[in-house]
Amino acid sequence: MRKTSHAGEAVARVLIWAAAVFVMALLAFIITYLLVKGLPMIDWAFLTEIPRDMGREGGISSAIVGTLMITAIAVAIATPFGIGTAFYLSEYRKAGVATRLIRFCAESLAGIPSIVYGLFGFIFFVIYLNMGWSALSGGLTLAFMILPTIIRTSEEAIRAVPGIYRDVSFSLGATKWQTIYKAVLPSALPGIANGLILSVGRCIAETAAVIYTAGSVLRMPSSIFSPTRSMAVHFYILASERISMDNAYGTAALLIILIFIINVVANAIVNGLAKKGA
Amino acid sequence: MRVKIEVKNLSYYFGQERVIKDLSLRIPENVIFSVLGPARSGVTTLLRTLNRLSDLNPETRTEGEVLLDGEDVLAKDVNVTELRRRVGMVFDVPTPLPLSVYDNVAYGPRLRGTKGRKALADCVEGALRTAALWDDVKDRLNVPAMSLSGGQQQRLCIARVLAQGPEVILLDRPCSGLDPISTSKIEDSLIRLKESVTVVIAPHNVQQAGRISDRVAFMLMGRLIEEGETKKVFVSPEFRETSDYITGRFG
């Protein structure tokens, strides 16, 4: 038999290849540009010193700490609620009006622009609950923002667990909770972790929701009740108010490196988890 | 012979459909009991009713009784967890959980709070030996169970049930995807097992029923057609449907 050539095949291959190359080139350009501009700014002092003179001088240590605090609070609060809701939707509740309602709410939440979350957080946490501008207010607001992502990715991961695992676990005399905890959760964990990684990335990169709730103070936060400024907000203010483009690029580069590190570490953990079972 | 399981006028409804129709059956202790029947004849459903795995589907309903040592397992106040320890199940495809070999076998005992490394290790080793898998896996108890071959996985599933110290083992076409060598290993295990437990199996073909079972039942469209000693049913079945099925005219 002889190989036949189709014009369509060749065209499709070229188009698909071109799409992939275009996307990769674009990404590579953005990242290279930021790193070239920003990396020279990053040194030990940049990482460890507090910003001085509005950020023209000094480092960004307080913004790094603030970012990590806000992100940690958001993920710590949203994770149990998100995963709990996902298990409720997929394991405890038959498909019906209630599940559709919850899913509809979660999807609506996902579509709300982050600045609206910021406004809500400002009114509810900062003013009504009198938490003031603080890492806590910011973290709580971001928790609301990432909740839909965590619910949806977790639910998908749980639904992807083969039904036979549940049958097996029940057939060995496990109760419902034992089945979820010992048979379903371990196989859903890599998928759930993926959702969490996405959420961490969104928290680190968020500006609009944070600027209204955590504030934009340059001091080193002393507790979760202190106002603080996240790296993304710092970058935004430095750039938009033309305070220091150099330090803005430095911050942006560090932001990218941070997200990159988190992705690598999280992927290693997820792969470790996945390998234990299959 | 002592009766281990007695099914009395069992009917099973899936929604509106009656999947098992007024079925009565006695399964003696310490035998291999085969339940034969073509697809959709209710064999799997019958097996799953014996340890109430059928409960998992909420749209189902049963009538009649299933007596295990004289006690109705379909009663509302039955401890289903304990029932499933006493009546274990092996499925038609190998179903290792995404855990290590050891953790798969230790799954049931751990649920019941078997503590102490030694007690648990002994229990796991005993179960793996009885399932004729110990020599294959003794040096790699911590590898993922999924990395075993299909036949080994299915023997692992049998070991997992054995680790619970069951009185009855239900096997739903346990050799359907396996090669002849794996199949014969599993059959050998079952023949050894019947000294201590009662084996109820849906064989994957008529020949397997003939090879290993002491008694066979033949089901068709949710009804029991006939039941008796394997030799008698195979040599001189009472009903035409049975002989047609056994000789391979349909099914």
Side-chain angles (χ1 to χ4, degrees), chain A residues 49-182:
Chain A
E49 280 176 21
I50 287 185
R52 290 190 308 272
D53 191 14
M54 300 297 287
R56 262 176 217 100
E57 302 290 325
I60 59 163
S61 65
S62 57
I64 297 174
V65 172
T67 304
L68 295 179
M69 269 168 80
I70 294 168
T71 304
I73 292 168
V75 173
I77 289 169
T79 301
F81 284 104
I83 296 178
T85 308
F87 270 111
Y88 178 76
L89 286 174
S90 51
E91 300 284 326
Y92 280 87
R93 188 83 208 184
K94 286 275 145 291
V97 180
T99 51
R100 254 181 296 157
L101 192 68
I102 294 174
R103 226 169 265 132
F104 178 75
C105 290
E107 263 156 41
S108 306
L109 275 175
I112 296 175
S114 60
I115 190 138
V116 177
Y117 282 102
L119 195 61
F120 165 77
F122 177 69
I123 293 166
F124 187 67
F125 296 119
V126 176
I127 295 178
Y128 184 73
L129 293 182
N130 205 16
M131 292 179 187
W133 280 313
S134 62
L136 185 62
S137 301
L140 287 169
T141 307
L142 290 189
F144 276 95
M145 193 184 79
I146 61 175
L147 208 46
T149 312
I150 295 180
I151 293 173
R152 186 188 292 177
T153 50
S154 301
E155 198 192 344
E156 269 166 26
I158 294 164
R159 284 191 190 281
V161 175
I164 192 79
Y165 290 176
R166 298 176 181 87
D167 286 13
V168 167
S169 179
F170 282 121
S171 80
L172 293 167
T175 60
K176 183 156 197 146
W177 169 243
Q178 287 170 329
T179 296
I180 288 176
Y181 181 68
K182 300 187 78 163

Side-chain angles (χ1 to χ4, degrees), chain A residues 2-11 13:
Chain A
R2 294 192 50 189
K3 225 167 138 183
T4 48
S5 62
H6 290 279
E9 285 296 315
V11 171
R13 193 175 301 133

Side-chain angles (χ1 to χ4, degrees), chain B residues 105-122:
Chain B
V105 184
Y107 193 88
R110 277 183 180 144
L111 291 177
R112 315 221 138 60
T114 301
K115 296 256 160 57
R117 293 169 65 96
K118 183 84 176 77
L120 204 56
D122 287 347

